[in-house]
Amino acid sequence: MDSEKILNKISEIYSPLSVECQKEFIINSKLSTFNKGDIVVREGQYSKKAYLIVEGCARAYYLKDGKDISDWFTFENQFMAPIVSFFSEEPSPHYVEFVEDSKVLEFSKDIIDSLTNKHHDFERFIRIVVTETMLGLCERLYTIQFNKAEERYKHLLSIYPDITNRIPFTHIASYLGITLETLSRIRNPKIRI
């Protein structure tokens, strides 16, 4: 799939982009591939790169007292960036890792800023992407604070039905704020004593 087809598809999902805007975006981005396990940002690094997932998936995670805690997942037709570092001048508190072999459209914060200033359609597009991301993070926070472990798991499956085929259970458990043992009991209620 070439960059033009990718942008046409993304325009349909988020908000239409003019041909002129798409051309400028394509010129200033590149198709990249990453292998499963590739880490593109580490805690403490500065990064102004973002990725549109074309194929594959990625996750952001942080380390707390030596524990790997998944903070969010990104799949096809979604964007991944080290949010804190990308939007501010601060080092990333997260790692960004590809969980599967992945094909992405890679671009910089400078390009987003330039296109946003030049094209109102791109500004609208970015606003929709950021709003969707923010709403997803708010929903996750609410779910973690107010739902029981089993409800959290069911909610995650309602959003990403095939997540258990793509993301290791250790990452899913940490994302849900539960232990791997609790996730196993939720998935296999017959095991309960």
Side-chain angles (χ1 to χ4, degrees):
M1 185 176 271
D2 66 20
S3 297
E4 188 175 339
K5 287 180 183 174
I6 294 165
L7 282 181
N8 283 331
K9 185 171 186 173
I10 291 304
S11 289
E12 290 173 15
I13 293 170
Y14 293 100
S15 182
L17 295 174
S18 67
V19 173
E20 182 184 333
C21 180
Q22 285 189 30
K23 284 181 180 175
E24 197 169 334
F25 188 84
I26 289 168
I27 290 169
N28 291 289
S29 60
K30 69 175 186 172
L31 274 172
S32 300
T33 57
F34 292 97
N35 296 318
K36 177 181 178 177
D38 282 352
I39 296 173
V40 292
V41 178
R42 296 182 183 280
E43 177 184 12
Q45 287 183 331
Y46 293 84
S47 178
K48 295 296 183 191
K49 288 186 180 177
Y51 309 91
L52 167 63
I53 308 291
V54 178
E55 293 173 9
C57 62
R59 73 179 180 122
Y61 68 96
Y62 58 93
L63 297 177
K64 176 73 173 164
D65 300 325
K67 286 183 72 173
D68 170 328
I69 301 170
S70 294
D71 202 21
W72 74 84
F73 302 111
T74 306
F75 298 92
E76 287 83 6
N77 303 316
Q78 295 179 324
F79 293 86
M80 172 62 84
I83 292 174
V84 172
S85 186
F86 191 78
F87 288 106
S88 71
E89 296 297 323
E90 297 189 21
S92 177
H94 292 98
Y95 291 78
V96 175
E97 172 190 36
F98 287 93
V99 183
E100 294 177 339
D101 291 344
S102 300
K103 184 186 290 186
V104 302
L105 195 59
E106 185 178 330
F107 51 94
S108 71
K109 174 81 165 54
D110 291 340
I111 295 312
I112 288 181
D113 292 341
S114 174
L115 291 174
T116 300
N117 289 331
K118 284 171 103 173
H119 302 279
H120 289 297
D121 54 336
F122 194 78
E123 183 178 28
R124 181 175 51 252
F125 176 87
I126 291 299
R127 180 179 42 81
I128 291 169
V129 169
V130 170
T131 300
E132 182 180 286
T133 302
M134 191 173 63
L135 290 173
L137 292 172
C138 288
E139 182 180 19
R140 177 169 183 260
L141 182 59
Y142 177 86
T143 302
I144 292 285
Q145 287 182 320
F146 299 110
N147 290 351
K148 294 181 180 179
E150 188 171 353
E151 293 168 328
R152 289 182 225 163
Y153 180 64
K154 286 179 181 177
H155 179 71
L156 182 64
L157 290 178
S158 74
I159 298 169
Y160 302 116
D162 69 340
I163 194 168
T164 59
N165 297 324
R166 302 181 73 183
I167 302 289
F169 290 116
T170 53
H171 299 334
I172 293 172
S174 71
Y175 176 83
L176 295 172
I178 60 178
T179 64
L180 189 55
E181 293 76 17
T182 299
L183 180 58
S184 293
R185 282 195 298 275
I186 291 168
R187 294 186 69 246
N188 302 303
K190 294 178 183 177
I191 295 175
R192 296 181 187 201
I193 297 173

